Amino acid sequence: MSGPDRRLVVVNPARPADQEFEIVVAHYNEDLSWLKQYGSECCVYSKGGSKNTPELPFTFTPLPNIGREGHTFLHHIVNHYDKLADITLFVQGRIDDHVDITLTEIKKHALDTIPGQVTTFPFRELELFDHWNGIPWEEYPCWKRWSSMDMQNMKDTPLQLFQKYITENDRVPVAVGFAPGAIFAVRKETIHSHDKAYYQRLLEKFFLGDMAHVNPETGHYMERFWLAMLNPVEYIQWSADDLADAERNEHGQLAKGKWYRTPTGSAIDLGAMRRGEEIDSPLTPLTPFARSSVSPSTPETALSLMTDEEGAEKK
């Protein structure tokens, strides 16, 4: 079948040339060489201790090894709320198991981000979350590496947390869309749609106190809540009728209510790939990251990229 590459849509070609850009990196022990060309624009938070210190040219801020990437990102927002860059790209120390375009391409599209937009990147499609009573880990063998580890469980359900801390109302959504891996770019105006106290409450409830743990259940919830928090109109489906007509939104993402659902019983968590036979138009392969000579376009390749190290590091 023929058609345009719709993985990413440039929506702001006339972007200002003087925008401040920053890459916030949640690091444990990953090789950050793929970020070197933009090292001066990186704000690295490292949770790996002295033996896993990032090599030059990176300066970094050490953090306790708690809370996964959600803790890192909220820590940055709370502590830099009044001095955020115009556009912030939030990434983990390794992203080539979720994204298969170059960092230069990622930055290019991140800089096109407009207020209200949350920019995500191929190859993973946006996925659907509707496990409001709790993630049934046992039904998803592909997520076993998380549930089989020591996990600090949260007594509140995802719905209770979502209502009290994300939307701050008692409505019950059908589902939300999320970006696996929590890799996204957003403008400071969008972050500022909530006040600093909002993010401070999230940080304290999800990642401090009883949840100050290397693998808190709330870290997995936060990964699923970012987009809904930053743009509820686009990423929260409130009813069966609250469904987009088009398959994709103006930014090339799966549109509201059209998000990919991971099938129960899945042995490999690939998500839906924005490439080849997986959607209704073929996509031109793009250059993968320098640290990997292949992109995770097959189950076998994706599985090989899901290392024990990834499962052990909790950003």
Side-chain angles (χ1 to χ4, degrees), residues 111-159:
L111 289 174
D112 285 328
T113 303
I114 60 176
Q117 178 188 358
V118 185
T119 300
T120 59
F121 310 94
F123 66 97
R124 297 291 292 262
E125 293 280 13
L126 296 190
E127 298 194 14
L128 178 148
F129 175 76
D130 63 354
H131 295 301
W132 296 113
N133 291 322
I135 298 175
W137 298 101
E138 68 282 357
E139 296 179 15
Y140 295 88
C142 57
W143 297 342
K144 185 177 180 181
R145 69 187 187 279
W146 304 125
S147 59
S148 62
M149 296 170 58
D150 180 27
M151 180 185 290
Q152 180 65 33
N153 294 320
M154 165 54 82
K155 63 179 181 180
D156 296 330
T157 67
L159 178 60

Side-chain angles (χ1 to χ4, degrees), residues 19 25-26 28 34 51 56 65 68 94 96-99 110 134 140-141 157 167 191 193 245 252 272 274 290 313:
Q19 295 183 109
V25 184
Y28 178 69
W34 62 277
K51 67 179 181 180
L56 294 175
N65 188 19
R68 304 174 54 80
R94 175 187 176 182
D96 61 355
D97 53 345
H98 288 82
V99 180
Y140 295 88
T157 67
T167 60
I191 295 176
S193 64
D245 294 327
R274 286 188 264 188
E313 48 104 353

